[in-house]
Amino acid sequence: IILVGIESNNNRVVGAVWNTTTLMNSTLISSTASATGGLEAVDVAFAGDNSKAMIIGPNGTAGSLNASYYNGQYWTPAYVGDMSTTAGGNADDVRWVRLKADPASDDMQAVAITSNGRLSTAYWSGSAWTMTTTIDATVDGSGATRSADFAWNQTGSVGQLIWDTDTTGATISNRTCAPQCSSSTTTAGSYAGTGAWLS
């Protein structure tokens, strides 16, 4: 069993392995995760082919995500990148992270929402991350809720990203990710209330 957590006193993101007796083989992926807002900015997933387990979490205060994977013997760092980057530049903090494993391979999809409600994804190919930043800039104006999620099709390698596309709760949007989430956006709606929690 793999554990990942934020140690809030020292702003550290730590992963560890439970071997049925004790936590061992711990790893530090960030010592400066100081701006998560106390929200769920870490996640963990086992690869669909069971070759590795990946942990992911924020680093610093400028939208950066770090990751590391465990292959059954040791951890290997796998830096993700700045999930808040836009053409104009900004320094949002990562508030929410979801990590989903492709059931057909060792690929993974990470979804991040920042403190200004910016939605981005990062696709792990088994060896490197490719980011699709600022898919939407207004999913939640304060990053207070996790108003986006992702799921792979059971056959693998293609999935759906879904999110609340504004702060007033009028529309839901989605993208087909095959495997990167760089396709065009489809928007549906309307509905009453704000899309605060989506799965």
Side-chain angles (χ1 to χ4, degrees):
I1 299 174
I2 305 295
L3 166 77
V4 64
I6 299 173
E7 195 278 283
S8 58
N9 287 338
N10 296 304
N11 300 313
R12 293 175 176 156
V13 179
V14 179
V17 180
W18 173 256
N19 69 354
T20 73
T21 304
T22 185
L23 285 171
M24 55 181 288
N25 291 343
S26 63
T27 188
L28 178 71
I29 64 171
S30 175
S31 59
T32 56
S34 57
T36 63
L39 304 176
E40 193 176 7
V42 295
D43 206 356
V44 58
F46 267 92
D49 65 358
N50 292 316
S51 63
K52 59 178 68 76
M54 182 79 75
I55 61 171
I56 192 167
N59 184 46
T61 60
S64 180
L65 274 181
N66 279 357
S68 188
Y69 63 86
Y70 183 73
N71 67 359
Q73 295 182 318
Y74 53 85
W75 292 95
T76 300
Y79 175 69
V80 183
D82 183 356
M83 300 298 278
S84 67
T85 301
T86 64
N90 62 82
D92 297 3
D93 305 318
V94 175
R95 295 291 174 89
W96 301 94
V97 176
R98 298 286 265 180
L99 183 63
K100 302 295 183 74
D102 181 349
S105 69
D106 63 351
D107 298 357
M108 299 199 184
Q109 194 81 250
V111 178
I113 298 175
T114 69
S115 54
N116 286 322
R118 200 175 308 277
L119 171 67
S120 299
T121 61
Y123 162 69
W124 171 258
S125 66
S127 59
W129 292 98
T130 302
M131 294 185 298
T132 304
T133 57
T134 314
I135 292 170
D136 197 312
T138 58
V139 295
D140 182 332
S142 63
T145 61
R146 188 188 51 73
S147 51
D149 206 355
F150 175 85
W152 292 100
N153 293 346
Q154 288 303 303
T155 53
S157 303
V158 177
Q160 290 291 320
L161 174 70
I162 189 166
W163 70 96
D164 176 68
T165 194
D166 52 39
T167 58
T168 60
T171 52
I172 284 181
S173 291
N174 71 289
R175 281 190 183 185
T176 298
C177 306
Q180 297 176 35
C181 299
S182 54
S183 65
S184 59
T185 297
T186 300
T187 298
S190 302
Y191 61 90
T194 300
W197 307 102
L198 296 178
S199 294

